[in-house]
Amino acid sequence: RVVVDLTKCDDILIPDGFSPNNDGINDQFVINELSELYPNFKLEIYNRYGSILYKGNKNTPHWDGTTTEDGLKMGNQTVPAGVYFYVLEFNDGIKKPKQGRVYLSR
């Protein structure tokens, strides 16, 4: 009998897209196991102009396609479909920050 323990894997899967359209499927940008493996992480989401839309950690809700930052709050705070950029700092003293892009589909 073989038992696979995935909690020991140090690689995490970062989704390349999500669809916050309130259908109950992929409504938030969720990186599974992130807070368990890297409890001191910091995640920031930027638009294509470099303006920050979201700052998160294990104590904040997952990004849902809205802006939480004061400088960009407009209307209902919902951002349009498109490509957004993230910077993920693991803050574990070992792993270097990771950056990439995520597609938001409405």
Side-chain angles (χ1 to χ4, degrees), residues 76-104:
N76 64 3
Q77 303 166 328
T78 300
V79 299
V83 176
Y84 294 87
F85 302 90
Y86 65 83
V87 176
L88 174 58
E89 295 179 26
F90 298 96
N91 294 322
D92 67 347
I94 300 169
K95 202 164 180 149
K96 292 183 178 183
K98 191 168 195 166
Q99 46 188 323
R101 62 180 182 233
V102 59
Y103 180 71
L104 185 152

Tab-separated table of all heavy atoms in Angstrom, residues 76-104:
chain	number	residue	atom	x	y	z
A	76	ASN	N	-18.601	50.277	-8.643
A	76	ASN	CA	-18.797	49.125	-7.767
A	76	ASN	C	-17.501	48.370	-7.505
A	76	ASN	O	-17.520	47.283	-6.972
A	76	ASN	CB	-19.853	48.184	-8.356
A	76	ASN	CG	-19.416	47.576	-9.681
A	76	ASN	OD1	-18.303	47.798	-10.143
A	76	ASN	ND2	-20.300	46.802	-10.278
A	77	GLN	N	-16.365	48.910	-7.900
A	77	GLN	CA	-15.036	48.362	-7.656
A	77	GLN	C	-14.722	47.111	-8.471
A	77	GLN	O	-13.703	46.481	-8.275
A	77	GLN	CB	-14.826	48.073	-6.160
A	77	GLN	CG	-15.021	49.284	-5.299
A	77	GLN	CD	-15.144	48.932	-3.835
A	77	GLN	OE1	-15.652	47.888	-3.481
A	77	GLN	NE2	-14.679	49.818	-2.991
A	78	THR	N	-15.585	46.708	-9.385
A	78	THR	CA	-15.363	45.532	-10.217
A	78	THR	C	-14.419	45.891	-11.355
A	78	THR	O	-14.641	46.873	-12.050
A	78	THR	CB	-16.706	45.026	-10.789
A	78	THR	OG1	-17.563	44.697	-9.703
A	78	THR	CG2	-16.500	43.800	-11.647
A	79	VAL	N	-13.381	45.077	-11.549
A	79	VAL	CA	-12.448	45.326	-12.641
A	79	VAL	C	-12.912	44.561	-13.879
A	79	VAL	O	-13.570	43.530	-13.769
A	79	VAL	CB	-10.999	44.950	-12.255
A	79	VAL	CG1	-10.537	45.783	-11.065
A	79	VAL	CG2	-10.850	43.482	-11.965
A	80	PRO	N	-12.590	45.055	-15.073
A	80	PRO	CA	-13.047	44.395	-16.298
A	80	PRO	C	-12.264	43.117	-16.599
A	80	PRO	O	-11.202	42.877	-16.038
A	80	PRO	CB	-12.792	45.450	-17.377
A	80	PRO	CG	-11.699	46.299	-16.833
A	80	PRO	CD	-11.874	46.303	-15.337
A	81	ALA	N	-12.791	42.327	-17.515
A	81	ALA	CA	-12.090	41.136	-17.983
A	81	ALA	C	-10.753	41.551	-18.574
A	81	ALA	O	-10.620	42.647	-19.124
A	81	ALA	CB	-12.933	40.413	-19.033
A	82	GLY	N	-9.760	40.694	-18.443
A	82	GLY	CA	-8.453	40.995	-19.005
A	82	GLY	C	-7.356	40.285	-18.249
A	82	GLY	O	-7.597	39.451	-17.373
A	83	VAL	N	-6.136	40.650	-18.582
A	83	VAL	CA	-4.960	40.055	-17.954
A	83	VAL	C	-4.489	40.957	-16.824
A	83	VAL	O	-4.378	42.171	-16.990
A	83	VAL	CB	-3.824	39.856	-18.987
A	83	VAL	CG1	-2.565	39.340	-18.323
A	83	VAL	CG2	-4.274	38.908	-20.086
A	84	TYR	N	-4.222	40.345	-15.688
A	84	TYR	CA	-3.718	41.045	-14.520
A	84	TYR	C	-2.431	40.355	-14.075
A	84	TYR	O	-2.164	39.219	-14.457
A	84	TYR	CB	-4.773	41.060	-13.406
A	84	TYR	CG	-5.968	41.886	-13.827
A	84	TYR	CD1	-7.008	41.315	-14.543
A	84	TYR	CD2	-6.015	43.242	-13.572
A	84	TYR	CE1	-8.076	42.068	-14.983
A	84	TYR	CE2	-7.078	44.012	-14.008
A	84	TYR	CZ	-8.103	43.421	-14.708
A	84	TYR	OH	-9.153	44.184	-15.145
A	85	PHE	N	-1.656	41.042	-13.298
A	85	PHE	CA	-0.339	40.548	-12.919
A	85	PHE	C	-0.251	40.404	-11.407
A	85	PHE	O	-0.805	41.215	-10.678
A	85	PHE	CB	0.735	41.507	-13.447
A	85	PHE	CG	0.641	41.665	-14.936
A	85	PHE	CD1	-0.149	42.659	-15.497
A	85	PHE	CD2	1.297	40.787	-15.774
A	85	PHE	CE1	-0.268	42.783	-16.880
A	85	PHE	CE2	1.180	40.897	-17.153
A	85	PHE	CZ	0.399	41.904	-17.707
A	86	TYR	N	0.444	39.363	-10.971
A	86	TYR	CA	0.591	39.131	-9.541
A	86	TYR	C	2.058	39.075	-9.150
A	86	TYR	O	2.926	38.737	-9.956
A	86	TYR	CB	-0.112	37.852	-9.101
A	86	TYR	CG	0.474	36.577	-9.667
A	86	TYR	CD1	1.580	35.972	-9.079
A	86	TYR	CD2	-0.085	35.973	-10.784
A	86	TYR	CE1	2.119	34.809	-9.596
A	86	TYR	CE2	0.449	34.809	-11.311
A	86	TYR	CZ	1.552	34.239	-10.708
A	86	TYR	OH	2.085	33.086	-11.230
A	87	VAL	N	2.310	39.434	-7.906
A	87	VAL	CA	3.600	39.233	-7.265
A	87	VAL	C	3.306	38.485	-5.981
A	87	VAL	O	2.524	38.953	-5.148
A	87	VAL	CB	4.322	40.566	-6.964
A	87	VAL	CG1	5.616	40.311	-6.199
A	87	VAL	CG2	4.600	41.332	-8.245
A	88	LEU	N	3.906	37.312	-5.854
A	88	LEU	CA	3.684	36.466	-4.686
A	88	LEU	C	4.990	36.355	-3.918
A	88	LEU	O	5.979	35.834	-4.435
A	88	LEU	CB	3.199	35.086	-5.118
A	88	LEU	CG	3.046	34.027	-4.034
A	88	LEU	CD1	2.081	34.482	-2.944
A	88	LEU	CD2	2.594	32.712	-4.641
A	89	GLU	N	4.987	36.893	-2.710
A	89	GLU	CA	6.144	36.786	-1.830
A	89	GLU	C	5.841	35.704	-0.804
A	89	GLU	O	4.826	35.758	-0.111
A	89	GLU	CB	6.427	38.115	-1.150
A	89	GLU	CG	6.840	39.199	-2.126
A	89	GLU	CD	7.103	40.525	-1.449
A	89	GLU	OE1	7.456	40.547	-0.255
A	89	GLU	OE2	6.928	41.555	-2.130
A	90	PHE	N	6.724	34.713	-0.710
A	90	PHE	CA	6.507	33.586	0.198
A	90	PHE	C	6.916	33.930	1.625
A	90	PHE	O	6.376	33.387	2.580
A	90	PHE	CB	7.271	32.361	-0.304
A	90	PHE	CG	6.795	31.907	-1.649
A	90	PHE	CD1	7.451	32.300	-2.806
A	90	PHE	CD2	5.679	31.106	-1.772
A	90	PHE	CE1	7.006	31.889	-4.054
A	90	PHE	CE2	5.219	30.686	-3.011
A	90	PHE	CZ	5.898	31.085	-4.155
A	91	ASN	N	7.874	34.826	1.781
A	91	ASN	CA	8.333	35.288	3.095
A	91	ASN	C	8.703	34.149	4.035
A	91	ASN	O	8.379	34.174	5.210
A	91	ASN	CB	7.289	36.212	3.741
A	91	ASN	CG	7.119	37.493	2.977
A	91	ASN	OD1	8.072	38.055	2.459
A	91	ASN	ND2	5.890	37.961	2.867
A	92	ASP	N	9.377	33.139	3.465
A	92	ASP	CA	9.826	32.019	4.301
A	92	ASP	C	11.337	32.008	4.474
A	92	ASP	O	11.891	31.126	5.115
A	92	ASP	CB	9.360	30.687	3.709
A	92	ASP	CG	10.014	30.356	2.375
A	92	ASP	OD1	10.648	31.258	1.773
A	92	ASP	OD2	9.896	29.206	1.928
A	93	GLY	N	12.028	33.008	3.896
A	93	GLY	CA	13.471	33.084	4.007
A	93	GLY	C	14.210	32.183	3.031
A	93	GLY	O	15.433	32.162	3.010
A	94	ILE	N	13.480	31.428	2.208
A	94	ILE	CA	14.108	30.489	1.280
A	94	ILE	C	13.676	30.753	-0.153
A	94	ILE	O	14.496	31.016	-1.026
A	94	ILE	CB	13.755	29.024	1.659
A	94	ILE	CG1	14.249	28.719	3.071
A	94	ILE	CG2	14.342	28.049	0.655
A	94	ILE	CD1	13.733	27.422	3.638
A	95	LYS	N	12.385	30.675	-0.379
A	95	LYS	CA	11.836	30.750	-1.729
A	95	LYS	C	11.767	32.198	-2.208
A	95	LYS	O	11.280	33.071	-1.505
A	95	LYS	CB	10.443	30.118	-1.732
A	95	LYS	CG	9.996	29.658	-3.077
A	95	LYS	CD	8.824	28.712	-2.954
A	95	LYS	CE	8.432	28.286	-4.328
A	95	LYS	NZ	7.879	26.984	-4.408
A	96	LYS	N	12.247	32.422	-3.433
A	96	LYS	CA	12.220	33.766	-4.009
A	96	LYS	C	10.804	34.123	-4.443
A	96	LYS	O	10.023	33.242	-4.787
A	96	LYS	CB	13.155	33.833	-5.207
A	96	LYS	CG	14.602	33.704	-4.826
A	96	LYS	CD	15.489	33.860	-6.027
A	96	LYS	CE	16.927	33.771	-5.580
A	96	LYS	NZ	17.871	33.981	-6.664
A	97	PRO	N	10.475	35.421	-4.457
A	97	PRO	CA	9.139	35.846	-4.911
A	97	PRO	C	8.873	35.361	-6.330
A	97	PRO	O	9.792	35.199	-7.135
A	97	PRO	CB	9.210	37.369	-4.863
A	97	PRO	CG	10.293	37.667	-3.893
A	97	PRO	CD	11.287	36.555	-4.030
A	98	LYS	N	7.607	35.142	-6.620
A	98	LYS	CA	7.196	34.673	-7.934
A	98	LYS	C	6.253	35.713	-8.522
A	98	LYS	O	5.421	36.275	-7.824
A	98	LYS	CB	6.477	33.338	-7.781
A	98	LYS	CG	6.227	32.631	-9.068
A	98	LYS	CD	5.783	31.208	-8.803
A	98	LYS	CE	5.897	30.428	-10.095
A	98	LYS	NZ	5.800	29.016	-9.886
A	99	GLN	N	6.383	35.947	-9.819
A	99	GLN	CA	5.466	36.853	-10.487
A	99	GLN	C	4.949	36.203	-11.754
A	99	GLN	O	5.596	35.331	-12.325
A	99	GLN	CB	6.114	38.203	-10.766
A	99	GLN	CG	7.480	38.174	-11.344
A	99	GLN	CD	8.081	39.569	-11.393
A	99	GLN	OE1	7.383	40.552	-11.648
A	99	GLN	NE2	9.360	39.674	-11.168
A	100	GLY	N	3.760	36.617	-12.120
A	100	GLY	CA	3.149	36.036	-13.304
A	100	GLY	C	1.893	36.784	-13.666
A	100	GLY	O	1.639	37.882	-13.182
A	101	ARG	N	1.076	36.151	-14.499
A	101	ARG	CA	-0.156	36.800	-14.941
A	101	ARG	C	-1.335	35.855	-14.743
A	101	ARG	O	-1.187	34.637	-14.710
A	101	ARG	CB	-0.039	37.245	-16.384
A	101	ARG	CG	0.166	36.098	-17.335
A	101	ARG	CD	0.285	36.616	-18.752
A	101	ARG	NE	0.441	35.488	-19.638
A	101	ARG	CZ	1.412	35.350	-20.509
A	101	ARG	NH1	2.312	36.286	-20.632
A	101	ARG	NH2	1.465	34.292	-21.272
A	102	VAL	N	-2.494	36.454	-14.627
A	102	VAL	CA	-3.735	35.706	-14.462
A	102	VAL	C	-4.788	36.355	-15.341
A	102	VAL	O	-4.856	37.588	-15.432
A	102	VAL	CB	-4.172	35.634	-12.988
A	102	VAL	CG1	-4.385	37.013	-12.398
A	102	VAL	CG2	-5.417	34.781	-12.824
A	103	TYR	N	-5.580	35.539	-16.029
A	103	TYR	CA	-6.637	36.059	-16.883
A	103	TYR	C	-7.961	36.042	-16.118
A	103	TYR	O	-8.354	35.019	-15.574
A	103	TYR	CB	-6.782	35.233	-18.166
A	103	TYR	CG	-7.873	35.759	-19.058
A	103	TYR	CD1	-7.705	36.964	-19.747
A	103	TYR	CD2	-9.074	35.086	-19.195
A	103	TYR	CE1	-8.716	37.471	-20.545
A	103	TYR	CE2	-10.083	35.593	-19.995
A	103	TYR	CZ	-9.893	36.776	-20.667
A	103	TYR	OH	-10.902	37.290	-21.452
A	104	LEU	N	-8.619	37.186	-16.094
A	104	LEU	CA	-9.914	37.317	-15.452
A	104	LEU	C	-10.969	37.342	-16.559
A	104	LEU	O	-10.921	38.195	-17.433
A	104	LEU	CB	-9.965	38.602	-14.638
A	104	LEU	CG	-11.196	38.850	-13.793
A	104	LEU	CD1	-10.835	39.722	-12.601
A	104	LEU	CD2	-12.308	39.461	-14.574
